[in-house]
Amino acid sequence: MAKIIVTAGPVPGHVVPLAAVAADLTERGHEVLFYTGAQFEGQARRTGARFAPYPAEVEPTSAEFQAAFLEREKLAPFDRMTFDLTRFGADPAPVHDKRLQELLAEFPATVVISDLTSFGTMPLALRAPRGERPLLVYIGMAPPPFDSVDTAPFGPGLLPPTTDEERARYNGMRVQMGAMFADAQEHIEAVFSSMGVTLPGFFFNAMATVPDHLLQLTVPAFEYPRSDAPQGFRFIGSLPAAPDRDFERPDWWADLSSDRPVVVVTQGTAENNDLSQLVVPTLRALADADVTVVAATGRADGPDAVRTEMADEIPANVHLAGFVPFEQLLPLADVLVTNAGYGGVQTALRHGVPLVVAGETEDKPEVAARVEWSGTGVNLHTARPEVAAVRIAVDEVLNDPQYRKCAGEIQRQYAEYRPFDAIAEIVERAAAVG
């Protein structure tokens, strides 16, 4: 039996996949401690793991955090990205580092499993060589951010270079982006120095080179080839979410099995404060289409927010929902219209569902670019598409079988992977050695 600490950033997109990992490891007989925000205690304990909450000062419910989030909402996309990396990523890292050391003293884990953006776990690997510390395993639940000669710089959502001219242009962009991220790099380096460790190079690269393993939650067909990927980088497929046995299917669920195509639209569970960005334009775009539309708003008051935004003029072919388990919904869908959240896109492709993507913040331009590159959907290149653009894109995906074919090919590749077995193998090998 191994002892494992699993830690996840306190947002559903991070907690859900790592809760699935924790549940699988406890079912295999391992002892797991789940460290995350207090609001996810129930979800963490349902995995069979012990639970350790974040210290109060880094809880997302704290007044300081809430004030920072309101400040973030006013920023442009690039400034929002650097804000997230510094304020939400680096600044809490010393608190998490200290708490993890305390937890390891009480619970001597041989492996720490974390999400990709967890700066607070990096010092574990930077303080001591492998073999003298817990193995650090990152789960890649966002596109790989590390630099490569075979890709464009991470962030703008550019496709890989195909000519020498593009490679030269991308190299020039790397210099420019280094300057753009200089303040964030300096800030993050200072935070790491305060923890008594040195950040090894550019922070995006450190996310891949510091952990012993970076296990990417996708398949090669959805990711740009890299001839210079770090040694610990590998694909493991996508993690299915635990079944939501508490979900009661609404009365309209039977409509999803009719002859009409089903279009699902969502802005995920994070960037859904303003549903006029994508949900409302999609409902208006498809109001007179011969399709059934499900708006999965990702928030309890989402249906009411949509009704208010549309002055209660909800098209007859639309069903509004708060939280809907995608594992149950997407097998019935023909298209997913999404703001390009990585987890939702992977779930759609695991079910062979093609996409229409529209996203500008965080890693969403990179996710959208991979949808375009893989041929699995249409990239609208904006977070606020025009109604007409959404209609054209949905019609294109529904009417061109190539999108469904490409999504189906990726679906078949997913079936070849056993992500839980891959993680368990690493855990059990580390336990046998240590």
Side-chain angles (χ1 to χ4, degrees):
M1 178 189 293
K3 289 181 180 291
I4 307 114
I5 291 178
V6 174
T7 178
V11 292
H14 292 203
V15 172
V16 168
L18 283 169
V21 171
D24 179 75
L25 290 172
T26 59
E27 288 175 6
R28 292 173 188 260
H30 301 300
E31 192 175 354
V32 178
L33 186 151
F34 205 123
Y35 172 63
T36 189
Q39 72 270 37
F40 293 101
E41 179 176 0
Q43 190 166 359
R45 291 193 184 278
R46 283 193 294 273
T47 69
R50 294 169 54 181
F51 176 69
Y54 276 4
E57 63 265 39
V58 292
E59 275 286 356
T61 54
S62 69
E64 183 178 352
F65 184 97
Q66 293 297 319
F69 192 82
L70 291 174
E71 180 182 348
R72 171 189 184 273
E73 291 297 292
K74 304 173 185 176
L75 301 175
F78 177 81
D79 294 330
R80 188 178 296 186
M81 178 189 292
T82 58
F83 187 93
D84 289 348
L85 289 163
T86 55
R87 292 288 293 276
F88 294 153
D91 287 354
V95 176
H96 292 307
D97 175 46
K98 179 183 177 183
R99 184 61 183 138
L100 283 169
Q101 291 182 67
E102 294 170 350
L103 291 173
L104 284 166
E106 307 165 5
F107 185 85
T110 54
V111 180
V112 173
I113 301 176
S114 173
D115 58 76
L116 176 67
T117 57
S118 177
F119 288 125
T121 57
M122 284 190 191
L124 292 173
L126 294 173
R127 287 198 182 97
R130 186 168 173 171
E132 298 179 14
R133 55 167 173 81
L135 196 74
L136 183 58
V137 178
Y138 275 7
I139 305 297
M141 52 190 67
F146 56 86
D147 204 9
S148 170
V149 297
D150 302 314
T151 66
F154 184 82
L158 300 172
L159 300 181
T162 57
T163 65
D164 290 340
E165 289 76 13
E166 281 187 330
R167 291 183 181 89
R169 181 164 64 90
Y170 287 171
N171 286 336
M173 288 181 61
R174 286 187 178 89
V175 175
Q176 295 173 347
M177 292 188 69
M180 292 172 65
F181 280 115
D183 289 345
Q185 178 74 19
E186 182 179 357
H187 183 104
I188 296 169
E189 287 178 353
V191 172
F192 273 69
S193 294
S194 75
M195 295 185 286
V197 295
T198 300
L199 182 71
F202 187 42
F203 57 82
F204 276 150
N205 293 337
M207 292 176 184
T209 59
V210 170
D212 301 293
H213 297 274
L214 172 52
L215 307 180
Q216 192 65 34
L217 294 181
T218 191
V219 293
F222 190 72
E223 187 50 60
Y224 308 143
R226 291 172 170 83
S227 60
D228 51 0
Q231 185 175 4
F233 178 74
R234 63 185 283 200
F235 298 100
I236 63 168
S238 178
L239 295 169
D244 191 337
R245 297 182 178 88
D246 296 331
F247 176 67
E248 295 185 7
R249 293 181 174 180
D251 294 340
W252 49 258
W253 196 265
D255 292 352
L256 308 184
S257 299
S258 70
D259 293 334
R260 296 203 306 181
V262 174
V263 179
V264 176
V265 59
T266 184
Q267 289 179 213
T269 56
E271 293 293 322
N272 59 8
N273 290 329
D274 180 5
L275 295 172
S276 69
Q277 288 186 351
L278 182 60
V279 170
V280 170
T282 300
L283 303 190
R284 288 177 171 150
L286 301 177
D288 62 349
D290 189 23
V291 299
T292 298
V293 184
V294 178
T297 62
R299 43 188 271 204
D301 65 342
D304 288 338
V306 172
R307 291 187 188 98
T308 299
E309 186 70 30
M310 299 186 70
D312 283 327
E313 297 180 358
I314 305 301
N317 63 346
V318 168
H319 299 299
L320 301 177
F323 298 94
V324 184
F326 270 18
E327 292 296 329
Q328 298 186 44
L329 177 61
L330 290 184
L332 304 173
D334 294 279
V335 180
L336 175 65
V337 182
T338 171
N339 62 344
Y342 195 71
V345 167
Q346 301 307 314
T347 303
L349 294 176
R350 186 158 46 78
H351 291 292
V353 179
L355 303 121
V356 173
V357 287
E360 288 180 328
T361 58
E362 297 91 27
D363 60 345
K364 291 178 174 61
E366 292 291 337
V367 180
R370 284 156 173 81
V371 169
E372 179 180 348
W373 174 81
S374 64
T376 56
V378 173
N379 181 5
L380 294 174
H381 296 280
T382 178
R384 290 183 174 275
E386 298 292 333
V387 169
V390 175
R391 177 60 181 264
I392 291 170
V394 171
D395 285 347
E396 180 178 343
V397 173
L398 284 174
N399 295 325
D400 187 342
Q402 188 65 24
Y403 292 109
R404 172 69 71 168
K405 179 181 177 183
C406 289
E409 290 171 353
I410 290 184
Q411 179 185 27
R412 286 187 287 276
Q413 194 169 104
Y414 275 117
E416 299 172 3
Y417 283 78
R418 300 290 182 269
F420 292 124
D421 290 347
I423 296 169
E425 180 185 355
I426 291 171
V427 166
E428 289 159 9
R429 187 168 34 242
V433 172

